[in-house]
Amino acid sequence: MLSIFIGVISGLLVVSFRMAIGWLNVLLLGSSPGPRQLKLLIVPTVVGLVVAVLTRFVFPEVRGSGINQTKAAMYIHNGYISFRTVCGKFILSALAIGGGHSLGPEDPSLQIGAGVASLISRRLQLSKARMRIFAPVGAAAGLAAAFNAPISAILFVIEEVIGQWSADVLGSIVLATISSVVVARWFWGPEPMFRVPAVTLRDPRELLAYAVMGIFGGLASLAFSKSLEYLRPKLKSATASAQMLQPAAAGFLVGCIGYFGLPQVMGAGYDVIDQAMHAQFAWKMLLVLAVFKIIATTLSFSSGTPGGMFAPTLFIGAMLGASVGSFEKLFFPHLTGSVGSYALVGMGVLFAAFLRAPFTSVFMVMEVSGNYSIVVPVILANTIAYLISRSLQPVPIFEVLTHEDGLYLPSMEEQREEHDLHLEDALKPIVAPILQGSETISEAMRSLADYGAIQSTSPILIHCPDGLWYTATKQELDTLATEMSVDQIAFNTARLNEKLGAERTPLLFPDLPLSSALPHFHRWPLLPVTNRALRGALEGAVSLKDVLERYQQR
């Protein structure tokens, strides 16, 4: 119920946030801003100055996109995000995006949702552990409402915020995202953000064009990442008074781009993406828009203006994709792909390569378009772009930004690819003596004597009639035999497993995590590892020494 409540409140806030951006955009820049309009220079500059003053003196925690701040809240501050930060993120991001800065609303929506979850958790006096759990729940709700795409929001939060699938939190995330999307669709309707015809691949050669787009997308993501990596730390190292002027200067430069001919790069740019999907730009113009969007976003984001990079990433990808599609239509008219389908795939390409969220990128394209026939080109192009980005930019952009801020949060990309050790990695052949639990005490001692001299602390495996195993030491069996020898009849008739009691070593299998053996060594000197298909059949055994040596070899 708490997850649903968080989803509803987050959905209402995000809807209000998007409405505020639209209202401010019309109020400040007009319904259709064009080149050579003086307000394109004045408005972003004044807005940047206002944002800088409010950030410095009222809302000091609102800088950045919101994703790293949410991760920091989860891993450093026990899920704490202040109410002031939520208010500041709402107001200043809406003002900046509505005023023409080249930023997007999705990342701030994620932090707003996480802030809602944090506030509600504190009001209910939940534990720190619970607050850490509800931070990603609210984040997913906020992102789902902003995108109108619940599956993409769930995957992105798991990929980038949590870093792994967690049964503890997955159900809550699903409930929160569904609730927030229901609220968002109540206002906006169930239609996807973009509509393009279904993709029909009649000619396999068309996949080559999508592969080329994947290459371009990987290189474009590298240029985008390097520009941010270069400019942002230089601006952050400036004096406090100079930093106060940076958002205004960034706004002025972005305004200049709009004033001298490219107002399309200002703001989030979803209407421009829609125009590109319907082939309203020439391919050369599309490339120019992509290049200047990278420049404008780098200026806006590096200046410390609050806002996200989702929308600019989708914009750049759509322009690149549409340019490839337009080029294909012009020079290879026999191929059947539409410009809209290339723009859609381009969005996923940049999302996978720049934001390093490969799973999310596939579902995001399908959800924002409602077009599931596009999955093969998306997977092909996204994979190529992601691999190029990984090879040329080993450190993901979000991790670069956290290091620049002096934070060292878990690397989600490394966590996804980390290979856990399993018991089979430390498994050793059985060299310990093996006795049958069905033997009498006297028979067991005679069998043990056949193994020759054995140290008192050496482990001995006993196979019980129920198919399970018991690990004893030579000293334990000697003590049992001494006690039973007082009664000669019992010594010759009592079964070994009966005298050992009902306790058995834990059932362990080769594919279990290696760490799962560690809690049992305080009781058992040697752990038998059995086959999953044949009850009691040994695959080998592990000791504490074997496990520690395997970890040291890693």
Side-chain angles (χ1 to χ4, degrees):
M1 292 300 296
L2 183 57
S3 300
I4 294 172
F5 183 66
I6 289 172
V8 170
I9 300 301
S10 298
L12 290 172
L13 272 177
V14 170
V15 168
S16 303
F17 179 53
R18 294 293 293 267
M19 289 181 173
I21 292 173
W23 180 77
L24 286 168
N25 186 256
V26 173
L27 177 67
L28 298 175
L29 296 176
S31 57
S32 56
R36 304 296 174 178
Q37 294 180 0
L38 198 58
K39 61 185 176 183
L40 296 185
L41 295 174
I42 297 173
V43 170
T45 305
V46 174
V47 164
L49 188 60
V50 172
V51 167
V53 172
L54 291 177
T55 301
R56 174 73 180 277
F57 297 107
V58 184
F59 306 112
E61 301 296 326
V62 302
R63 285 173 169 266
S65 70
I67 294 174
N68 284 340
Q69 289 75 12
T70 301
K71 288 168 62 176
M74 180 178 173
Y75 288 102
I76 299 175
H77 306 299
N78 295 311
Y80 178 84
I81 300 175
S82 69
F83 181 65
R84 174 184 289 192
T85 299
V86 174
C87 294
K89 202 72 173 184
F90 186 109
I91 296 169
L92 299 191
S93 295
L95 185 61
I97 300 168
H101 285 254
S102 181
L103 298 165
E106 293 82 11
D107 317 35
S109 298
L110 182 147
Q111 189 178 10
I112 289 170
V116 167
S118 177
L119 177 63
I120 293 173
S121 300
R122 295 199 304 273
R123 292 296 182 187
L124 295 178
Q125 298 182 344
L126 299 183
S127 65
K128 292 181 179 179
R130 287 287 182 182
M131 287 179 62
R132 286 195 297 270
I133 287 176
F134 277 110
V137 170
L143 186 58
F147 257 141
N148 195 17
I151 298 176
S152 301
I154 293 170
L155 289 175
F156 183 81
V157 168
I158 290 173
E159 267 195 293
E160 190 55 44
V161 178
I162 302 175
Q164 58 187 350
W165 292 92
S166 173
D168 292 340
V169 75
L170 182 58
S172 297
I173 288 178
V174 170
L175 289 174
T177 52
I178 291 174
S179 304
S180 65
V181 168
V182 167
V183 171
R185 290 182 178 178
W186 188 30
F187 289 91
W188 297 328
E191 295 297 318
M193 294 176 67
F194 307 106
R195 301 292 293 178
V196 296
V199 177
T200 304
L201 285 172
R202 295 190 180 94
D203 191 336
R205 290 177 297 177
E206 194 167 343
L207 289 175
L208 293 175
Y210 288 109
V212 169
M213 187 167 56
I215 296 173
F216 286 163
L219 297 176
S221 72
L222 177 67
F224 196 9
S225 299
K226 291 298 183 182
S227 63
L228 286 168
E229 191 176 348
Y230 172 79
L231 183 59
R232 189 170 180 264
K234 288 187 176 297
L235 296 184
K236 281 178 65 70
S237 63
T239 62
S241 57
Q243 289 185 24
M244 286 282 291
L245 299 175
Q246 288 174 4
F252 176 75
L253 293 174
V254 172
C256 287
I257 296 174
Y259 180 82
F260 289 108
L262 296 174
Q264 296 92 342
V265 305
M266 302 178 71
Y270 282 126
D271 55 337
V272 184
I273 294 176
D274 191 67
Q275 293 171 19
M277 286 184 173
H278 292 87
Q280 296 183 24
F281 298 107
W283 69 272
K284 293 181 181 179
M285 180 62 174
L286 290 165
L287 289 178
V288 170
L289 287 173
V291 171
F292 277 92
K293 189 66 173 180
I294 291 176
I295 296 172
T297 305
T298 300
L299 291 170
S300 295
F301 189 81
S302 298
S303 69
T305 305
M309 290 188 290
F310 273 40
T313 301
L314 299 180
F315 183 103
I316 297 164
M319 298 305 116
L320 288 175
S323 67
V324 172
S326 300
F327 184 87
E328 179 197 278
K329 286 296 179 186
L330 186 62
F331 295 99
F332 304 95
H334 59 282
L335 297 179
T336 59
S338 68
V339 174
S341 65
Y342 281 96
L344 266 179
V345 174
M347 291 165 60
V349 162
L350 255 290
F351 202 95
F354 179 68
L355 299 178
R356 301 294 256 282
F359 296 119
T360 306
S361 66
V362 175
F363 286 91
M364 182 270 299
V365 169
M366 293 190 292
E367 282 196 290
V368 300
S369 66
N371 192 336
Y372 293 90
S373 61
I374 206 169
V375 64
V376 173
V378 168
I379 292 176
L380 173 64
N382 286 16
T383 302
I384 293 173
Y386 179 75
L387 293 176
I388 291 174
S389 176
R390 278 290 310 273
S391 61
L392 298 179
Q393 175 79 8
V395 182
I397 186 61
F398 284 129
E399 191 171 343
V400 171
L401 298 179
T402 57
H403 292 173
E404 289 176 357
D405 294 336
L407 302 175
Y408 292 89
L409 300 175
S411 173
M412 301 309 170
E413 192 167 54
E414 289 180 4
Q415 284 189 17
R416 288 197 300 268
E417 298 181 359
E418 193 173 76
H419 299 291
D420 292 330
L421 293 175
H422 299 87
L423 283 173
E424 62 189 359
D425 297 315
L427 207 60
K428 295 294 177 66
I430 302 295
V431 294
I434 298 178
L435 303 178
Q436 297 298 319
S438 58
E439 293 179 319
T440 65
I441 303 297
S442 59
E443 290 172 340
M445 298 309 294
R446 286 195 296 271
S447 299
L448 190 59
D450 294 337
Y451 285 96
I454 301 174
Q455 295 183 0
S456 61
T457 58
S458 297
I460 297 166
L461 294 176
I462 301 171
H463 193 199
C464 301
D466 56 7
L468 301 179
W469 291 84
Y470 185 100
T471 303
T473 61
K474 175 68 165 52
Q475 184 179 6
E476 181 181 355
L477 292 182
D478 287 341
T479 302
L480 177 63
T482 301
E483 293 174 353
M484 295 299 299
S485 63
V486 177
D487 186 346
Q488 197 64 32
I489 296 177
F491 183 72
N492 292 318
T493 58
R495 302 295 177 184
L496 179 59
N497 64 284
E498 294 174 357
K499 295 303 176 181
L500 293 175
E503 189 178 18
R504 300 290 183 265
T505 55
L507 267 176
L508 297 176
F509 305 105
D511 56 287
L512 292 179
L514 187 57
S515 59
S516 63
L518 292 174
H520 304 298
F521 287 119
H522 76 283
R523 170 63 181 88
W524 308 101
L526 186 71
L527 293 173
V529 180
T530 59
N531 187 287
R532 282 191 179 274
L534 301 174
R535 184 179 177 88
L538 288 180
E539 294 282 340
V542 291
S543 65
L544 179 58
K545 179 184 177 183
D546 298 331
V547 172
L548 295 180
E549 285 181 350
R550 186 62 188 85
Y551 274 122
Q552 291 169 350
Q553 294 170 6
R554 185 168 182 170

